Amino acid sequence: MSGEADRLRALLDESGAFQEGHFRLSSGRHSAAYVQCALLLEQPARATEVGGLLAARLGGLRPEAVLSPALGGLVIGYQVAACLGVPFRFCERRQGRMELRRGFRIRPGERTVVVEDVVTTGGSAAEAAALAAAAGADVVAVASIIDRGAEPGGEAPWISLLRLPLSSWPQAECPLCAEGLLLSAPGSRLPDAG
Ligand SMILES: [Zn+2]
């Protein structure tokens, strides 16, 4: 295992971000473990360090902008952009569709990395990448702190600091539901802004 993955594991442990129990992930699937990246990034010094680790993996791709899906990608995306010295933009879900709002504009041909905190199914990150590509950007990577086993879509490489393919199940097949274990839903997805 690489030094950066070891360092990230240490940061996950000391921040209490790695949690075990019975969770409903934002994808709707159930899992026995959850990584609460908000806790990993709660301390700015830690967020800066994690952003630096991810930026170091991306610098060779010469990104010109970072795009993150709200809400999960905001803190880490900003840190990566700050480290790379490029603009940071975010997209947000509105009535089910990922949109670029708030006057953000993507330049055609702009080398863009999509940055997310955790990818599980990869849905939000893939939607952000598709949005950037539709606006004419050159999506050079989809990057995340943690990859829980997403199936990469699109042509850009998927890069993560730590691959952590924790088991998850559709609710109907969840062994923890079968045991009657109390479910918590720590997901970061906000309801539609409308
Ligand atoms: Zn369950």
Side-chain angles (χ1 to χ4, degrees), residues 22-24 29-31 169-178 181 183:
H22 180 200
F23 302 99
R24 184 182 184 280
R29 293 170 70 88
H30 289 196
S31 174
W169 315 273
Q171 181 171 342
E173 296 167 23
C174 175
L176 305 173
C177 280
L181 231 68
L183 180 71

PDB file of all heavy atoms in Angstrom, residues 22-24 29-31 169-178 181 183, ligand 1:
ATOM      1  N   HIS A  22     -24.851   0.418  10.708  1.00  0.00           N
ATOM      2  CA  HIS A  22     -25.808   0.054   9.654  1.00  0.00           C
ATOM      3  C   HIS A  22     -26.262   1.357   9.007  1.00  0.00           C
ATOM      4  O   HIS A  22     -26.948   2.146   9.633  1.00  0.00           O
ATOM      5  CB  HIS A  22     -26.979  -0.706  10.297  1.00  0.00           C
ATOM      6  CG  HIS A  22     -28.045  -1.136   9.318  1.00  0.00           C
ATOM      7  ND1 HIS A  22     -29.315  -1.460   9.710  1.00  0.00           N
ATOM      8  CD2 HIS A  22     -28.017  -1.310   7.971  1.00  0.00           C
ATOM      9  CE1 HIS A  22     -30.030  -1.803   8.648  1.00  0.00           C
ATOM     10  NE2 HIS A  22     -29.260  -1.719   7.583  1.00  0.00           N
ATOM     11  N   PHE A  23     -25.815   1.582   7.789  1.00  0.00           N
ATOM     12  CA  PHE A  23     -25.973   2.895   7.179  1.00  0.00           C
ATOM     13  C   PHE A  23     -26.730   2.815   5.863  1.00  0.00           C
ATOM     14  O   PHE A  23     -26.543   1.874   5.083  1.00  0.00           O
ATOM     15  CB  PHE A  23     -24.608   3.531   6.917  1.00  0.00           C
ATOM     16  CG  PHE A  23     -23.774   3.676   8.164  1.00  0.00           C
ATOM     17  CD1 PHE A  23     -22.786   2.754   8.458  1.00  0.00           C
ATOM     18  CD2 PHE A  23     -24.007   4.718   9.041  1.00  0.00           C
ATOM     19  CE1 PHE A  23     -22.029   2.880   9.617  1.00  0.00           C
ATOM     20  CE2 PHE A  23     -23.262   4.850  10.199  1.00  0.00           C
ATOM     21  CZ  PHE A  23     -22.267   3.936  10.486  1.00  0.00           C
ATOM     22  N   ARG A  24     -27.528   3.856   5.615  1.00  0.00           N
ATOM     23  CA  ARG A  24     -28.103   4.039   4.289  1.00  0.00           C
ATOM     24  C   ARG A  24     -27.229   5.061   3.571  1.00  0.00           C
ATOM     25  O   ARG A  24     -27.135   6.214   3.993  1.00  0.00           O
ATOM     26  CB  ARG A  24     -29.540   4.543   4.403  1.00  0.00           C
ATOM     27  CG  ARG A  24     -30.225   4.672   3.055  1.00  0.00           C
ATOM     28  CD  ARG A  24     -31.649   5.240   3.203  1.00  0.00           C
ATOM     29  NE  ARG A  24     -32.326   5.266   1.929  1.00  0.00           N
ATOM     30  CZ  ARG A  24     -32.145   6.206   0.996  1.00  0.00           C
ATOM     31  NH1 ARG A  24     -31.300   7.198   1.218  1.00  0.00           N
ATOM     32  NH2 ARG A  24     -32.784   6.148  -0.154  1.00  0.00           N
ATOM     33  N   ARG A  29     -28.142   2.414  -1.175  1.00  0.00           N
ATOM     34  CA  ARG A  29     -27.710   1.088  -0.739  1.00  0.00           C
ATOM     35  C   ARG A  29     -27.398   1.096   0.760  1.00  0.00           C
ATOM     36  O   ARG A  29     -27.132   2.145   1.335  1.00  0.00           O
ATOM     37  CB  ARG A  29     -26.485   0.646  -1.543  1.00  0.00           C
ATOM     38  CG  ARG A  29     -26.810   0.398  -3.015  1.00  0.00           C
ATOM     39  CD  ARG A  29     -25.554   0.195  -3.830  1.00  0.00           C
ATOM     40  NE  ARG A  29     -24.876  -1.073  -3.545  1.00  0.00           N
ATOM     41  CZ  ARG A  29     -25.153  -2.223  -4.166  1.00  0.00           C
ATOM     42  NH1 ARG A  29     -26.088  -2.274  -5.082  1.00  0.00           N
ATOM     43  NH2 ARG A  29     -24.480  -3.322  -3.868  1.00  0.00           N
ATOM     44  N   HIS A  30     -27.445  -0.081   1.357  1.00  0.00           N
ATOM     45  CA  HIS A  30     -27.128  -0.196   2.784  1.00  0.00           C
ATOM     46  C   HIS A  30     -25.720  -0.765   2.960  1.00  0.00           C
ATOM     47  O   HIS A  30     -25.230  -1.503   2.119  1.00  0.00           O
ATOM     48  CB  HIS A  30     -28.129  -1.127   3.483  1.00  0.00           C
ATOM     49  CG  HIS A  30     -29.490  -0.510   3.616  1.00  0.00           C
ATOM     50  ND1 HIS A  30     -30.451  -0.995   4.474  1.00  0.00           N
ATOM     51  CD2 HIS A  30     -30.050   0.573   3.002  1.00  0.00           C
ATOM     52  CE1 HIS A  30     -31.550  -0.243   4.382  1.00  0.00           C
ATOM     53  NE2 HIS A  30     -31.334   0.707   3.480  1.00  0.00           N
ATOM     54  N   SER A  31     -25.087  -0.376   4.073  1.00  0.00           N
ATOM     55  CA  SER A  31     -23.714  -0.802   4.289  1.00  0.00           C
ATOM     56  C   SER A  31     -23.429  -0.923   5.781  1.00  0.00           C
ATOM     57  O   SER A  31     -24.097  -0.298   6.609  1.00  0.00           O
ATOM     58  CB  SER A  31     -22.761   0.223   3.667  1.00  0.00           C
ATOM     59  OG  SER A  31     -21.423  -0.107   3.977  1.00  0.00           O
ATOM     60  N   TRP A 169     -25.327  -3.245  -0.078  1.00  0.00           N
ATOM     61  CA  TRP A 169     -26.391  -4.061  -0.656  1.00  0.00           C
ATOM     62  C   TRP A 169     -27.614  -3.215  -0.935  1.00  0.00           C
ATOM     63  O   TRP A 169     -27.864  -2.236  -0.230  1.00  0.00           O
ATOM     64  CB  TRP A 169     -26.813  -5.159   0.333  1.00  0.00           C
ATOM     65  CG  TRP A 169     -25.687  -5.875   0.986  1.00  0.00           C
ATOM     66  CD1 TRP A 169     -25.026  -6.965   0.515  1.00  0.00           C
ATOM     67  CD2 TRP A 169     -25.058  -5.550   2.252  1.00  0.00           C
ATOM     68  NE1 TRP A 169     -24.024  -7.342   1.401  1.00  0.00           N
ATOM     69  CE2 TRP A 169     -24.029  -6.495   2.467  1.00  0.00           C
ATOM     70  CE3 TRP A 169     -25.256  -4.563   3.209  1.00  0.00           C
ATOM     71  CZ2 TRP A 169     -23.211  -6.473   3.593  1.00  0.00           C
ATOM     72  CZ3 TRP A 169     -24.443  -4.529   4.335  1.00  0.00           C
ATOM     73  CH2 TRP A 169     -23.436  -5.481   4.517  1.00  0.00           C
ATOM     74  N   PRO A 170     -28.434  -3.631  -1.945  1.00  0.00           N
ATOM     75  CA  PRO A 170     -29.764  -3.023  -2.048  1.00  0.00           C
ATOM     76  C   PRO A 170     -30.532  -3.358  -0.768  1.00  0.00           C
ATOM     77  O   PRO A 170     -30.295  -4.418  -0.168  1.00  0.00           O
ATOM     78  CB  PRO A 170     -30.399  -3.717  -3.257  1.00  0.00           C
ATOM     79  CG  PRO A 170     -29.315  -4.491  -3.911  1.00  0.00           C
ATOM     80  CD  PRO A 170     -28.211  -4.688  -2.933  1.00  0.00           C
ATOM     81  N   GLN A 171     -31.424  -2.459  -0.366  1.00  0.00           N
ATOM     82  CA  GLN A 171     -32.125  -2.635   0.912  1.00  0.00           C
ATOM     83  C   GLN A 171     -32.735  -4.040   1.035  1.00  0.00           C
ATOM     84  O   GLN A 171     -32.636  -4.670   2.094  1.00  0.00           O
ATOM     85  CB  GLN A 171     -33.233  -1.575   1.041  1.00  0.00           C
ATOM     86  CG  GLN A 171     -33.989  -1.681   2.360  1.00  0.00           C
ATOM     87  CD  GLN A 171     -34.936  -0.503   2.567  1.00  0.00           C
ATOM     88  OE1 GLN A 171     -34.801   0.525   1.914  1.00  0.00           O
ATOM     89  NE2 GLN A 171     -35.871  -0.650   3.470  1.00  0.00           N
ATOM     90  N   ALA A 172     -33.329  -4.529  -0.050  1.00  0.00           N
ATOM     91  CA  ALA A 172     -34.032  -5.821  -0.011  1.00  0.00           C
ATOM     92  C   ALA A 172     -33.088  -6.983   0.303  1.00  0.00           C
ATOM     93  O   ALA A 172     -33.514  -8.021   0.804  1.00  0.00           O
ATOM     94  CB  ALA A 172     -34.738  -6.067  -1.337  1.00  0.00           C
ATOM     95  N   GLU A 173     -31.772  -6.772   0.024  1.00  0.00           N
ATOM     96  CA  GLU A 173     -30.815  -7.864   0.243  1.00  0.00           C
ATOM     97  C   GLU A 173     -29.912  -7.616   1.442  1.00  0.00           C
ATOM     98  O   GLU A 173     -28.938  -8.326   1.646  1.00  0.00           O
ATOM     99  CB  GLU A 173     -29.938  -8.032  -1.009  1.00  0.00           C
ATOM    100  CG  GLU A 173     -30.725  -8.456  -2.234  1.00  0.00           C
ATOM    101  CD  GLU A 173     -29.896  -8.306  -3.515  1.00  0.00           C
ATOM    102  OE1 GLU A 173     -28.663  -8.313  -3.435  1.00  0.00           O
ATOM    103  OE2 GLU A 173     -30.520  -8.166  -4.589  1.00  0.00           O
ATOM    104  N   CYS A 174     -30.224  -6.560   2.231  1.00  0.00           N
ATOM    105  CA  CYS A 174     -29.317  -6.159   3.309  1.00  0.00           C
ATOM    106  C   CYS A 174     -29.396  -7.137   4.486  1.00  0.00           C
ATOM    107  O   CYS A 174     -30.449  -7.295   5.100  1.00  0.00           O
ATOM    108  CB  CYS A 174     -29.668  -4.743   3.768  1.00  0.00           C
ATOM    109  SG  CYS A 174     -28.696  -4.219   5.184  1.00  0.00           S
ATOM    110  N   PRO A 175     -28.271  -7.768   4.840  1.00  0.00           N
ATOM    111  CA  PRO A 175     -28.293  -8.716   5.970  1.00  0.00           C
ATOM    112  C   PRO A 175     -28.514  -8.010   7.317  1.00  0.00           C
ATOM    113  O   PRO A 175     -28.985  -8.631   8.259  1.00  0.00           O
ATOM    114  CB  PRO A 175     -26.897  -9.368   5.913  1.00  0.00           C
ATOM    115  CG  PRO A 175     -26.039  -8.414   5.163  1.00  0.00           C
ATOM    116  CD  PRO A 175     -26.950  -7.690   4.202  1.00  0.00           C
ATOM    117  N   LEU A 176     -28.161  -6.720   7.395  1.00  0.00           N
ATOM    118  CA  LEU A 176     -28.326  -5.986   8.649  1.00  0.00           C
ATOM    119  C   LEU A 176     -29.793  -5.637   8.874  1.00  0.00           C
ATOM    120  O   LEU A 176     -30.279  -5.648  10.012  1.00  0.00           O
ATOM    121  CB  LEU A 176     -27.451  -4.731   8.640  1.00  0.00           C
ATOM    122  CG  LEU A 176     -25.966  -5.010   8.366  1.00  0.00           C
ATOM    123  CD1 LEU A 176     -25.199  -3.712   8.197  1.00  0.00           C
ATOM    124  CD2 LEU A 176     -25.350  -5.854   9.460  1.00  0.00           C
ATOM    125  N   CYS A 177     -30.518  -5.337   7.784  1.00  0.00           N
ATOM    126  CA  CYS A 177     -31.973  -5.150   7.882  1.00  0.00           C
ATOM    127  C   CYS A 177     -32.611  -6.459   8.350  1.00  0.00           C
ATOM    128  O   CYS A 177     -33.501  -6.460   9.206  1.00  0.00           O
ATOM    129  CB  CYS A 177     -32.566  -4.758   6.531  1.00  0.00           C
ATOM    130  SG  CYS A 177     -32.353  -3.017   6.118  1.00  0.00           S
ATOM    131  N   ALA A 178     -32.132  -7.572   7.797  1.00  0.00           N
ATOM    132  CA  ALA A 178     -32.662  -8.887   8.160  1.00  0.00           C
ATOM    133  C   ALA A 178     -32.485  -9.159   9.649  1.00  0.00           C
ATOM    134  O   ALA A 178     -33.315  -9.808  10.286  1.00  0.00           O
ATOM    135  CB  ALA A 178     -31.982  -9.974   7.323  1.00  0.00           C
ATOM    136  N   LEU A 181     -31.291  -4.501  12.653  1.00  0.00           N
ATOM    137  CA  LEU A 181     -30.393  -3.471  13.195  1.00  0.00           C
ATOM    138  C   LEU A 181     -30.875  -2.066  12.833  1.00  0.00           C
ATOM    139  O   LEU A 181     -31.266  -1.824  11.693  1.00  0.00           O
ATOM    140  CB  LEU A 181     -28.995  -3.690  12.608  1.00  0.00           C
ATOM    141  CG  LEU A 181     -27.825  -3.750  13.584  1.00  0.00           C
ATOM    142  CD1 LEU A 181     -27.934  -5.012  14.437  1.00  0.00           C
ATOM    143  CD2 LEU A 181     -26.512  -3.756  12.820  1.00  0.00           C
ATOM    144  N   LEU A 183     -31.147   1.551  11.546  1.00  0.00           N
ATOM    145  CA  LEU A 183     -30.502   2.139  10.363  1.00  0.00           C
ATOM    146  C   LEU A 183     -30.253   3.625  10.579  1.00  0.00           C
ATOM    147  O   LEU A 183     -31.115   4.336  11.063  1.00  0.00           O
ATOM    148  CB  LEU A 183     -31.432   1.940   9.157  1.00  0.00           C
ATOM    149  CG  LEU A 183     -30.958   2.479   7.803  1.00  0.00           C
ATOM    150  CD1 LEU A 183     -29.815   1.637   7.262  1.00  0.00           C
ATOM    151  CD2 LEU A 183     -32.124   2.478   6.812  1.00  0.00           C
TER     152      LEU A 183
HETATM  153 ZN    ZN B   1     -30.057  -2.498   5.829  1.00  0.00          ZN
END
